[in-house]
Amino acid sequence: VLFRSFKTGGPPSSADLARGLSELTAELGRHPSVPSLWVWRGQLKQQTGDLSGAILDLERACELDPHHALAQGLVGRALSQAGRPSQSLPRLRRALELEPRLWIARMWLAEALAEWFPQHAGSLDAVLAMFLAQPGQVPGDAPVAGCAPLCAHAPAATAT
């Protein structure tokens, strides 16, 4: 059972994260072709501030399953946090192409555009308003085409 040592009711401690990383590393030794294990470990590495390690794990998940929308979004976010927007934006856009209802990837794309391309996208508030302005639809249910003003600034995704 993974993460058996994590406490509940709050963020994991440094010790919890270290144990989680150790458990996931052991599981990856036994099951290296399971993309979700790479995603989980990448997320833990991201939480510990190991962006380089997170990017490597998340990219491995994308190699194993190029249609894993969350993995694409998470690697896009990690790349943006690492100051690599030209690599980040295609991954975030790809996540939305794969799963238009992946709400968190929409937020990460909006944040990345506002941070890295404010001259095109405007402030984060303006980006989010543009992104959410879809009358008659529940947020997150609009097709990717509905975010055309934002996605226009994101370079096209490249094959992974």
Side-chain angles (χ1 to χ4, degrees):
V1 175
L2 291 177
F3 302 22
R4 59 187 160 267
S5 58
F6 273 27
K7 65 181 180 186
T8 58
S13 68
S14 299
D16 290 337
L17 291 172
R19 280 190 297 274
L21 284 169
S22 177
E23 290 175 22
L24 281 167
T25 299
E27 285 300 311
L28 281 165
R30 290 186 284 276
H31 307 285
S33 62
V34 178
S36 293
L37 292 174
W38 292 100
V39 170
W40 293 336
R41 193 172 77 169
Q43 287 178 293
L44 285 181
K45 286 182 177 183
Q46 198 168 10
Q47 285 184 359
T48 64
D50 179 7
L51 289 178
S52 296
I55 290 166
L56 289 174
D57 283 359
L58 294 165
E59 286 181 338
R60 180 67 181 136
C62 292
E63 289 169 9
L64 290 168
D65 181 0
H67 301 285
H68 196 302
L70 182 59
Q72 294 285 348
L74 285 165
V75 77
R77 181 174 185 232
L79 288 163
S80 181
Q81 291 174 329
R84 296 160 56 183
S86 64
Q87 294 170 319
S88 168
L89 297 178
R91 291 301 186 97
L92 292 167
R93 182 177 177 164
R94 178 70 178 140
L96 291 174
E97 289 169 354
L98 292 169
E99 181 48 69
R101 296 178 188 197
L102 187 57
W103 183 248
I104 193 70
R106 290 171 175 241
M107 296 294 290
W108 294 333
L109 177 61
E111 289 171 352
L113 287 169
E115 179 176 357
W116 296 106
F117 301 97
Q119 69 278 17
H120 297 296
S123 69
L124 179 57
D125 289 340
V127 170
L128 290 175
M130 179 173 38
F131 207 40
L132 297 174
Q134 298 171 20
Q137 296 189 11
V138 177
D141 284 345
V144 175
C147 74
L150 285 178
C151 291
H153 301 296
T158 56
T160 57

